[in-house]
Amino acid sequence: MGIDLAKESKVNKLICSGEPAGSIPAVKRQLEEAWGAKCGDTAGMTELGTIMIFECSHQPGGTHIIEDNYIEEVLNPATDEPVGYGELGERVVTSFGRGFIPVIRYRTKDMVLKVPASTCTCGRTWDIYDGGIRGRWDDMKLIRGTNVYPRAVEAIVREYAAIDEFQIYLWRKDNLTDEITIKLEVKPGFESEWETLHRGLSKDLANAHEGLRFNIERVDYGVLPHFELKAKRLVDARPVAQYSE
Ligand SMILES: [Zn+2]
Protein backbone atom coordinates (compact mmCIF):
# COMPACT_ATOMS: atom_id res chain seq x y z
CA MET A 1 0.00 0.00 0.00
CA GLY A 2 3.04 2.23 -0.18
CA ILE A 3 3.17 2.99 3.53
CA ASP A 4 6.63 3.11 5.08
CA LEU A 5 5.81 1.73 8.51
CA ALA A 6 9.25 2.49 9.90
CA LYS A 7 8.92 6.20 9.07
CA GLU A 8 5.20 6.82 9.11
CA SER A 9 3.85 4.71 11.95
CA LYS A 10 4.11 5.47 15.65
CA VAL A 11 4.51 1.79 16.56
CA ASN A 12 7.63 1.38 18.69
CA LYS A 13 7.17 -2.07 20.21
CA LEU A 14 6.23 -5.37 18.60
CA ILE A 15 5.10 -8.23 20.81
CA CYS A 16 5.35 -11.51 18.95
CA SER A 17 3.64 -14.71 19.97
CA GLY A 18 2.33 -17.96 18.57
CA GLU A 19 5.20 -18.45 16.11
CA PRO A 20 8.90 -18.97 16.73
CA ALA A 21 9.55 -15.88 14.57
CA GLY A 22 10.21 -13.48 17.44
CA SER A 23 13.21 -15.55 18.51
CA ILE A 24 14.61 -16.31 15.06
CA PRO A 25 17.30 -13.65 14.65
CA ALA A 26 16.81 -13.01 10.91
CA VAL A 27 13.02 -12.77 11.20
CA LYS A 28 13.29 -10.50 14.19
CA ARG A 29 15.71 -8.22 12.33
CA GLN A 30 13.36 -7.98 9.35
CA LEU A 31 10.39 -7.17 11.58
CA GLU A 32 12.33 -4.51 13.46
CA GLU A 33 13.57 -2.90 10.24
CA ALA A 34 10.17 -2.95 8.58
CA TRP A 35 8.43 -1.37 11.56
CA GLY A 36 11.27 0.74 12.97
CA ALA A 37 10.37 -0.79 16.34
CA LYS A 38 11.83 -3.08 18.98
CA CYS A 39 10.60 -6.64 18.79
CA GLY A 40 10.09 -8.97 21.76
CA ASP A 41 9.07 -12.61 21.88
CA THR A 42 6.49 -14.15 24.22
CA ALA A 43 4.64 -17.45 24.38
CA GLY A 44 1.47 -18.58 26.07
CA MET A 45 -0.63 -21.73 26.21
CA THR A 46 -4.40 -22.08 26.27
CA GLU A 47 -4.08 -24.85 28.86
CA LEU A 48 -2.29 -22.44 31.22
CA GLY A 49 -4.55 -19.55 30.39
CA THR A 50 -1.81 -17.03 29.80
CA ILE A 51 1.74 -16.06 28.94
CA MET A 52 4.53 -17.97 30.67
CA ILE A 53 7.66 -16.49 29.12
CA PHE A 54 8.65 -13.08 27.74
CA GLU A 55 11.62 -11.28 26.34
CA CYS A 56 12.72 -8.15 28.23
CA SER A 57 13.91 -4.90 26.65
CA HIS A 58 17.55 -6.02 26.91
CA GLN A 59 16.77 -8.66 24.27
CA PRO A 60 19.00 -11.50 25.54
CA GLY A 61 18.08 -13.68 22.55
CA GLY A 62 15.58 -15.60 24.64
CA THR A 63 12.66 -15.32 27.00
CA HIS A 64 12.56 -15.00 30.79
CA ILE A 65 10.41 -17.61 32.55
CA ILE A 66 7.74 -16.12 34.81
CA GLU A 67 8.93 -18.22 37.74
CA ASP A 68 6.52 -16.85 40.36
CA ASN A 69 3.68 -18.42 38.37
CA TYR A 70 5.26 -21.52 36.89
CA ILE A 71 7.68 -24.27 37.70
CA GLU A 72 9.35 -24.99 34.40
CA GLU A 73 11.32 -28.23 34.19
CA VAL A 74 13.33 -29.38 31.20
CA LEU A 75 13.52 -33.14 30.64
CA ASN A 76 15.16 -35.44 28.16
CA PRO A 77 12.06 -36.56 26.23
CA ALA A 78 13.40 -40.08 25.77
CA THR A 79 14.56 -40.84 29.33
CA ASP A 80 12.41 -38.34 31.31
CA GLU A 81 15.57 -37.34 33.21
CA PRO A 82 16.15 -33.64 33.90
CA VAL A 83 18.72 -31.96 31.68
CA GLY A 84 21.01 -29.13 32.80
CA TYR A 85 21.53 -25.59 31.61
CA GLY A 86 22.50 -25.42 27.95
CA GLU A 87 20.95 -28.73 26.95
CA LEU A 88 17.93 -29.17 24.70
CA GLY A 89 14.95 -30.80 26.34
CA GLU A 90 11.19 -30.90 26.64
CA ARG A 91 9.32 -28.24 28.63
CA VAL A 92 7.33 -29.69 31.50
CA VAL A 93 5.26 -27.10 33.32
CA THR A 94 3.40 -26.79 36.61
CA SER A 95 1.12 -23.77 36.87
CA PHE A 96 0.13 -22.06 40.13
CA GLY A 97 -2.52 -19.92 38.57
CA ARG A 98 -5.18 -22.34 37.36
CA GLY A 99 -7.23 -23.25 40.43
CA PHE A 100 -10.07 -24.98 38.65
CA ILE A 101 -7.96 -26.96 36.23
CA PRO A 102 -4.69 -27.80 37.99
CA VAL A 103 -1.87 -28.31 35.53
CA ILE A 104 0.79 -30.38 37.25
CA ARG A 105 3.95 -31.45 35.44
CA TYR A 106 2.22 -30.97 32.13
CA ARG A 107 4.22 -32.26 29.18
CA THR A 108 4.20 -29.69 26.42
CA LYS A 109 6.40 -31.34 23.74
CA ASP A 110 7.95 -27.86 23.37
CA MET A 111 11.66 -27.95 22.68
CA VAL A 112 13.62 -25.55 24.89
CA LEU A 113 17.12 -24.82 26.14
CA LYS A 114 17.36 -23.20 29.56
CA VAL A 115 20.18 -20.80 30.46
CA PRO A 116 20.76 -18.95 33.76
CA ALA A 117 19.13 -15.59 34.46
CA SER A 118 22.58 -13.98 34.57
CA THR A 119 22.78 -14.47 30.78
CA CYS A 120 20.67 -11.30 30.57
CA THR A 121 21.92 -7.89 31.69
CA CYS A 122 18.51 -6.64 32.88
CA GLY A 123 18.93 -7.89 36.45
CA ARG A 124 15.90 -10.15 36.56
CA THR A 125 16.49 -13.38 38.46
CA TRP A 126 14.27 -15.50 36.26
CA ASP A 127 15.96 -18.08 34.07
CA ILE A 128 15.77 -17.81 30.31
CA TYR A 129 14.80 -20.09 27.46
CA ASP A 130 17.49 -19.31 24.94
CA GLY A 131 15.82 -18.82 21.57
CA GLY A 132 12.35 -18.99 23.14
CA ILE A 133 10.30 -22.03 22.23
CA ARG A 134 12.52 -23.66 19.61
CA GLY A 135 9.93 -25.95 18.14
CA ARG A 136 8.17 -29.12 19.12
CA TRP A 137 9.73 -32.51 19.57
CA ASP A 138 7.09 -34.02 17.31
CA ASP A 139 8.01 -31.50 14.57
CA MET A 140 11.28 -33.31 14.01
CA LYS A 141 11.56 -35.08 10.66
CA LEU A 142 14.07 -37.75 9.83
CA ILE A 143 15.45 -37.38 6.30
CA ARG A 144 17.95 -40.03 5.20
CA GLY A 145 19.15 -40.41 8.78
CA THR A 146 19.46 -36.69 9.53
CA ASN A 147 17.22 -34.78 11.95
CA VAL A 148 15.50 -31.79 10.37
CA TYR A 149 13.56 -29.22 12.38
CA PRO A 150 11.33 -26.80 10.45
CA ARG A 151 12.32 -23.92 12.73
CA ALA A 152 16.02 -24.47 12.06
CA VAL A 153 15.33 -24.46 8.32
CA GLU A 154 13.31 -21.26 8.67
CA ALA A 155 16.15 -19.58 10.55
CA ILE A 156 18.44 -20.21 7.57
CA VAL A 157 15.90 -19.34 4.86
CA ARG A 158 15.09 -16.03 6.54
CA GLU A 159 18.71 -14.91 6.32
CA TYR A 160 17.93 -14.29 2.64
CA ALA A 161 15.91 -11.10 2.41
CA ALA A 162 14.97 -11.81 -1.25
CA ILE A 163 12.82 -14.77 -0.20
CA ASP A 164 9.18 -14.06 0.46
CA GLU A 165 7.11 -17.17 1.27
CA PHE A 166 8.57 -20.68 1.43
CA GLN A 167 7.52 -24.26 2.03
CA ILE A 168 9.38 -27.32 3.25
CA TYR A 169 8.20 -30.18 1.06
CA LEU A 170 9.07 -33.77 2.00
CA TRP A 171 8.53 -36.48 -0.61
CA ARG A 172 9.71 -39.92 -1.62
CA LYS A 173 11.69 -40.42 -4.80
CA ASP A 174 11.01 -43.63 -6.76
CA ASN A 175 9.37 -44.97 -3.61
CA LEU A 176 12.86 -45.39 -2.23
CA THR A 177 14.59 -42.32 -0.80
CA ASP A 178 13.25 -39.43 1.22
CA GLU A 179 13.82 -36.04 -0.35
CA ILE A 180 13.51 -32.56 1.08
CA THR A 181 12.68 -29.68 -1.21
CA ILE A 182 12.50 -26.04 -0.21
CA LYS A 183 9.97 -24.34 -2.47
CA LEU A 184 10.32 -20.62 -2.40
CA GLU A 185 8.99 -17.41 -3.84
CA VAL A 186 11.36 -14.58 -4.65
CA LYS A 187 10.12 -11.11 -3.74
CA PRO A 188 9.16 -9.05 -6.78
CA GLY A 189 12.14 -6.93 -7.82
CA PHE A 190 14.69 -9.38 -6.41
CA GLU A 191 14.63 -11.87 -9.32
CA SER A 192 18.23 -11.12 -10.32
CA GLU A 193 19.43 -12.48 -6.96
CA TRP A 194 18.11 -15.98 -7.68
CA GLU A 195 21.41 -17.55 -8.83
CA THR A 196 23.39 -16.33 -5.83
CA LEU A 197 20.55 -17.10 -3.49
CA HIS A 198 20.15 -20.63 -4.83
CA ARG A 199 23.84 -21.45 -4.39
CA GLY A 200 24.14 -19.84 -0.95
CA LEU A 201 21.00 -21.37 0.46
CA SER A 202 21.86 -24.93 -0.72
CA LYS A 203 25.24 -24.61 0.93
CA ASP A 204 23.96 -23.11 4.20
CA LEU A 205 21.23 -25.74 4.58
CA ALA A 206 23.61 -28.62 3.89
CA ASN A 207 26.23 -27.23 6.28
CA ALA A 208 23.69 -27.03 9.07
CA HIS A 209 22.47 -30.60 8.45
CA GLU A 210 25.53 -32.85 8.29
CA GLY A 211 25.82 -32.35 4.53
CA LEU A 212 22.22 -33.38 3.77
CA ARG A 213 21.27 -32.39 0.20
CA PHE A 214 18.31 -30.00 0.01
CA ASN A 215 16.54 -29.43 -3.31
CA ILE A 216 15.81 -25.76 -3.89
CA GLU A 217 12.90 -24.98 -6.17
CA ARG A 218 11.68 -21.57 -7.16
CA VAL A 219 7.96 -21.23 -7.72
CA ASP A 220 6.06 -18.28 -9.20
CA TYR A 221 5.17 -15.47 -6.85
CA GLY A 222 1.79 -16.08 -5.21
CA VAL A 223 1.74 -19.88 -5.69
CA LEU A 224 2.49 -20.81 -2.07
CA PRO A 225 -0.02 -20.22 0.70
CA HIS A 226 0.60 -16.96 2.56
CA PHE A 227 -0.17 -17.04 6.27
CA GLU A 228 -1.38 -14.43 8.69
CA LEU A 229 -1.55 -16.67 11.77
CA LYS A 230 -0.18 -20.09 12.76
CA ALA A 231 1.80 -20.70 9.61
CA LYS A 232 2.00 -24.25 8.25
CA ARG A 233 5.09 -24.31 6.12
CA LEU A 234 5.78 -28.02 6.18
CA VAL A 235 4.11 -30.49 3.85
CA ASP A 236 4.95 -34.17 4.28
CA ALA A 237 3.90 -35.96 1.12
CA ARG A 238 5.70 -39.22 1.86
CA PRO A 239 3.48 -42.32 1.70
CA VAL A 240 4.14 -43.34 5.31
CA ALA A 241 3.38 -39.86 6.62
CA GLN A 242 0.05 -39.85 4.80
CA TYR A 243 -0.80 -43.26 6.13
CA SER A 244 -0.10 -42.31 9.73
CA GLU A 245 -2.35 -39.25 9.46
ZN1 LIG B 1 16.29 -9.62 30.84
Side-chain angles (χ1 to χ4, degrees):
M1 297 173 77
I3 300 169
D4 184 341
L5 291 167
K7 289 210 182 83
E8 295 170 48
S9 87
K10 291 195 164 64
V11 174
N12 59 22
K13 288 185 192 67
L14 303 170
I15 299 171
C16 297
S17 191
E19 306 270 356
S23 280
I24 296 178
V27 180
K28 184 186 212 121
R29 208 165 52 234
Q30 286 179 29
L31 288 168
E32 291 192 325
E33 281 170 14
W35 284 89
K38 208 166 200 178
C39 173
D41 194 20
T42 68
M45 280 176 84
T46 308
E47 297 92 320
L48 303 178
T50 185
I51 300 282
M52 61 268 160
I53 55 176
F54 69 94
E55 182 174 14
C56 68
S57 63
H58 287 229
Q59 295 182 306
T63 47
H64 287 285
I65 298 163
I66 304 175
E67 291 180 345
D68 60 345
N69 269 274
Y70 303 103
I71 298 172
E72 295 262 349
E73 301 169 79
V74 185
L75 306 186
N76 178 321
T79 63
D80 294 346
E81 292 296 321
V83 302
Y85 284 134
E87 281 179 74
L88 270 183
E90 179 185 349
R91 246 188 95 220
V92 176
V93 58
T94 297
S95 166
F96 306 143
R98 293 286 264 172
F100 291 102
I101 313 167
V103 178
I104 300 166
R105 303 201 79 207
Y106 184 76
R107 296 198 71 148
T108 64
K109 294 237 168 101
D110 287 337
M111 188 190 298
V112 289
L113 187 148
K114 199 188 270 191
V115 294
S118 58
T119 312
C120 186
T121 50
C122 76
R124 285 184 178 81
T125 55
W126 292 340
D127 281 348
I128 293 167
Y129 284 141
D130 182 73
I133 308 277
R134 293 176 167 229
R136 293 175 55 80
W137 284 100
D138 46 6
D139 280 347
M140 188 194 82
K141 298 289 175 182
L142 196 63
I143 309 294
R144 300 197 296 274
T146 301
N147 295 344
V148 176
Y149 291 100
R151 183 195 189 277
V153 172
E154 174 161 15
I156 294 166
V157 169
R158 289 301 183 209
E159 289 291 338
Y160 292 85
I163 298 174
D164 194 317
E165 199 47 83
F166 75 98
Q167 185 179 71
I168 304 166
Y169 188 77
L170 309 179
W171 53 289
R172 186 152 297 163
K173 191 178 181 183
D174 304 326
N175 210 15
L176 203 66
T177 51
D178 286 344
E179 292 285 335
I180 183 164
T181 298
I182 308 299
K183 298 183 180 184
L184 55 91
E185 294 178 2
V186 175
K187 281 182 195 159
F190 287 82
E191 291 82 359
S192 61
E193 294 187 20
W194 166 245
E195 282 306 319
T196 329
L197 187 162
H198 180 270
R199 265 198 310 278
L201 185 61
S202 310
K203 208 167 125 222
D204 291 349
L205 286 167
N207 286 346
H209 292 87
E210 302 166 348
L212 181 70
R213 186 189 70 253
F214 284 70
N215 309 292
I216 312 288
E217 183 186 323
R218 180 178 162 189
V219 299
D220 288 339
Y221 189 78
V223 165
L224 297 175
H226 286 232
F227 298 96
E228 292 187 352
L229 202 63
K230 298 273 179 193
K232 276 182 108 73
R233 295 200 171 91
L234 184 130
V235 174
D236 197 342
R238 295 174 296 177
V240 175
Q242 288 176 338
Y243 181 74
S244 64
E245 280 169 11

